[in-house]
Amino acid sequence: MLFAFDRVAELAPQHPKWKTTMPFKAIVTGDKEAMSKFTTKDIEVIAMATHTGMTADAFQTIVKDWWAKAKHPRFDKPYSQMVYQPMIEVMKYLRDNGYRTYIVTGGGQDFVRTYSQQVYGIPVEQIVGSALDTQYTYNKDGQGILMRDPKLLLNNNGAGKAEDIYLFIGKHPKAAFGNTEGDREMLEYTQASGGASLEMLVLHDDATREYAYGPANGLPDTKVGTFSPALYDEAKAKGWTVISMKNDWKRIFDWQK
Amino acid sequence: MLFAFDRVAELAPQHPKWKTTMPFKAIVTGDKEAMSKFTTKDIEVIAMATHTGMTADAFQTIVKDWWAKAKHPRFDKPYSQMVYQPMIEVMKYLRDNGYRTYIVTGGGQDFVRTYSQQVYGIPVEQIVGSALDTQYTYNKDGQGILMRDPKLLLNNNGAGKAEDIYLFIGKHPKAAFGNTEGDREMLEYTQASGGASLEMLVLHDDATREYAYGPANGLPDTKVGTFSPALYDEAKAKGWTVISMKNDWKRIFDWQK
């Protein structure tokens, strides 16, 4: 979302109407209160305006350029360092023991693919995410290109995660790790494999080293990345492990002592 | 298609109306002439009736059972032996030299995945094919299941092959092999990678050992798997190699001398 907001600011001079039209107006004028009230539909409108109408290759270049310069507003670190160290370690541990690791994200598949190898050690074909339709066509030299269409092909969230794991990987995972409502079906589908399996949920309960939100476990409520009491209860009932970032993780980020 | 036709015959007792309703009537009554005139729409109706309304796991079992018993009507061999030996060899050669091999098929992704490892040595996650939508839901025991919906999510043919290679693999192939119109865009997209690449098209011109159809190169016309003179011309113009099954392949099937 931060990428999309930055893109709106960058593209605004080419779209004079954005100054007076919501939801763009909120971003262009820096109206933080209006931005905090964005609906799912607002986010979708912003995503489509900033993620489509260019070739797949051009989009990758735009993301890479942003990624190289952008910094996290609170921690003042590049996003390549805003990665949970214990997750890096568990993925390495699994790979060292013959497993293949995937990232299955509600975020944009093409977005995450631009840095997945460098940051997570995971190649592009093992990133499954929300995806726009692309349209194969020809440029003026007659060369085949893929244009990004303003149409969502895969909404890789909730039930979509189970469906897309089946579509891309064709089998049940042996282990799955999540941290929001959007991971419920993925964990259920992992457990439904029949054999031994591992399901874990990370609870963001460390306001000092990262953030604290739920509303599970009495934590503050949130509109993004919700971890509900119902998900917490399902985890307890089904034997899924809930990880407390505060109590169970020695370090959250690599650069923290 | 042969699988779908066999399924119609098997399911017919549960669908009395099929005896009098086209396109099912043609299959149930064995009307070969009517079957030879099936339109794309007819095939789609048959595919939806035979491929949907069950779980993904149930469909795999049905395909495996069919595959174990079915034989090619002309060669009287199981389909696991109706595989082009030179293609098996080139894929092994590529894998032995550090490449990863995929099958990118207009056929059903789930169908091909049931035998891809055994027959081609290719794991399920490296099969990209036409795919139905699935719907995540719960069975009566509350366990997560994927139901196959009568809605085509990916039509992996023509432009769809380039689009789905990008969706699943996220990069241009280094080599691509095809044999029909439906492979044109995949080969173009392979060549558009910029670097060195290999594009090859197999021409079915051996009526004795396999089949002969085009209509490229003066071969008989066909409604299925068409290789047009236009595709042949594009291959010549762009430096793609056209392989003559008759002249270039010592053996077509493993069991042929």
Side-chain angles (χ1 to χ4, degrees):
Chain A
M1 254 189 275
L2 292 165
F3 164 76
F5 292 173
D6 282 357
R7 283 298 290 165
V8 167
E10 199 169 327
L11 294 170
Q14 299 160 44
H15 301 268
K17 274 194 185 164
W18 285 2
K19 266 189 217 163
T20 51
T21 320
M22 289 294 266
F24 303 103
K25 184 186 164 191
I27 301 169
V28 176
T29 61
D31 184 345
K32 295 236 155 106
E33 206 196 312
M35 285 167 74
S36 75
K37 286 176 189 157
F38 277 163
T39 62
T40 309
K41 182 71 201 162
D42 291 332
I43 307 269
E44 198 185 311
V45 167
I46 292 162
M48 291 302 172
T50 51
H51 286 61
T52 70
M54 75 279 283
T55 66
D57 290 346
F59 181 73
Q60 281 185 8
T61 304
I62 293 166
V63 174
K64 276 182 186 159
D65 289 350
W66 178 84
W67 183 261
K69 282 177 286 185
K71 287 194 171 181
H72 191 283
R74 173 174 157 199
F75 295 101
D76 195 35
K77 297 275 180 191
Y79 287 101
S80 57
Q81 294 179 34
M82 297 303 299
V83 176
Y84 305 135
Q85 181 62 19
M87 296 310 303
I88 296 290
E89 289 169 13
V90 75
M91 290 195 295
K92 183 176 184 311
Y93 177 77
L94 288 167
R95 289 194 296 263
D96 287 350
N97 285 277
Y99 290 90
R100 199 165 50 237
T101 53
Y102 282 78
I103 290 189
V104 179
T105 174
Q109 178 169 289
D110 294 344
F111 186 86
V112 177
R113 282 178 171 182
T114 60
Y115 55 81
S116 64
Q117 181 69 57
Q118 172 209 335
V119 175
Y120 307 118
I122 300 188
V124 293
E125 69 273 14
Q126 286 164 224
I127 305 299
V128 178
S130 295
L132 294 175
D133 221 0
T134 57
Q135 195 72 40
Y136 182 83
T137 181
Y138 299 91
N139 66 14
K140 59 175 170 30
D141 302 322
Q143 200 177 52
I145 52 169
L146 289 170
M147 290 298 293
R148 294 168 62 81
D149 269 4
K151 193 192 144 205
L152 193 64
L153 178 67
L154 302 175
N155 181 6
N156 195 49
N157 251 314
K161 286 202 175 186
E163 292 157 11
D164 297 338
I165 286 171
Y166 178 72
L167 180 67
F168 279 76
I169 314 177
K171 56 187 112 167
H172 295 267
K174 288 292 175 196
F177 305 77
N179 64 341
T180 78
E181 295 299 294
D183 298 312
R184 171 184 282 117
E185 291 83 352
M186 175 171 69
L187 268 64
E188 290 173 351
Y189 187 66
T190 300
Q191 197 161 32
S193 77
S197 66
L198 174 68
E199 296 79 23
M200 301 187 103
L201 285 168
V202 173
L203 184 66
H204 295 257
D205 59 356
D206 191 333
T208 309
R209 293 188 300 168
E210 203 239 9
Y211 293 98
Y213 55 92
N217 234 15
L219 293 163
D221 204 354
T222 175
K223 275 169 74 177
V224 180
T226 307
F227 190 135
S228 69
L231 181 62
Y232 196 93
D233 291 345
E234 183 171 348
K236 293 292 159 192
K238 294 186 171 171
W240 304 347
T241 302
V242 176
I243 296 167
S244 160
M245 289 177 84
K246 186 173 180 176
N247 303 318
D248 298 331
W249 282 5
K250 205 178 281 181
R251 274 191 308 176
I252 292 180
F253 301 113
D254 179 42
W255 42 268
Q256 285 172 337
K257 288 278 170 298
Chain B
M1 255 188 276
L2 292 165
F3 163 75
F5 292 173
D6 283 357
R7 284 298 291 166
V8 167
E10 199 168 326
L11 295 170
Q14 299 160 44
H15 301 268
K17 274 192 185 166
W18 285 2
K19 265 190 216 164
T20 51
T21 319
M22 288 297 264
F24 303 103
K25 184 185 165 190
I27 300 169
V28 177
T29 61
D31 183 345
K32 296 237 156 104
E33 206 195 313
M35 285 166 73
S36 75
K37 286 176 189 158
F38 277 161
T39 62
T40 308
K41 183 71 202 163
D42 291 332
I43 307 270
E44 198 185 312
V45 167
I46 292 162
M48 291 302 172
T50 52
H51 285 61
T52 70
M54 74 280 282
T55 66
D57 290 345
F59 181 72
Q60 281 184 9
T61 304
I62 292 167
V63 174
K64 276 183 188 160
D65 288 351
W66 178 84
W67 183 262
K69 283 178 285 187
K71 286 193 171 183
H72 190 284
R74 174 174 156 199
F75 295 101
D76 195 35
K77 297 273 181 193
Y79 286 100
S80 57
Q81 294 179 33
M82 297 303 300
V83 176
Y84 304 136
Q85 181 61 19
M87 295 310 302
I88 296 291
E89 289 169 13
V90 76
M91 289 194 295
K92 185 176 183 309
Y93 177 77
L94 288 167
R95 289 194 295 263
D96 286 350
N97 286 277
Y99 290 90
R100 199 167 49 237
T101 54
Y102 282 78
I103 291 189
V104 180
T105 174
Q109 178 169 289
D110 293 344
F111 186 86
V112 176
R113 282 178 171 183
T114 60
Y115 55 81
S116 64
Q117 182 68 58
Q118 172 209 337
V119 174
Y120 307 117
I122 300 187
V124 293
E125 69 274 12
Q126 285 163 225
I127 306 298
V128 178
S130 294
L132 295 175
D133 221 359
T134 56
Q135 194 75 40
Y136 182 82
T137 181
Y138 299 91
N139 66 14
K140 59 176 171 30
D141 302 323
Q143 199 178 53
I145 51 169
L146 290 170
M147 289 298 294
R148 294 169 61 81
D149 269 5
K151 192 190 144 207
L152 193 63
L153 178 68
L154 302 175
N155 181 7
N156 194 50
N157 251 314
K161 286 201 175 186
E163 292 157 11
D164 297 337
I165 286 171
Y166 178 72
L167 180 68
F168 279 76
I169 314 178
K171 55 188 114 169
H172 295 266
K174 288 292 176 196
F177 305 77
N179 64 341
T180 78
E181 296 298 293
D183 297 313
R184 171 185 281 118
E185 290 85 352
M186 174 171 69
L187 269 64
E188 290 173 351
Y189 186 67
T190 301
Q191 197 160 33
S193 79
S197 66
L198 174 68
E199 295 80 23
M200 302 187 102
L201 285 168
V202 173
L203 184 65
H204 295 258
D205 59 357
D206 191 333
T208 309
R209 294 188 300 169
E210 202 240 7
Y211 292 98
Y213 55 91
N217 235 13
L219 292 163
D221 204 353
T222 174
K223 275 169 73 178
V224 179
T226 307
F227 191 135
S228 70
L231 181 62
Y232 196 93
D233 292 345
E234 183 172 349
K236 293 292 157 193
K238 295 187 171 171
W240 303 348
T241 302
V242 176
I243 296 166
S244 160
M245 288 177 85
K246 186 174 180 174
N247 302 320
D248 299 330
W249 281 4
K250 205 178 282 181
R251 274 191 308 177
I252 293 179
F253 301 113
D254 178 43
W255 41 267
Q256 283 171 337
K257 287 278 169 297

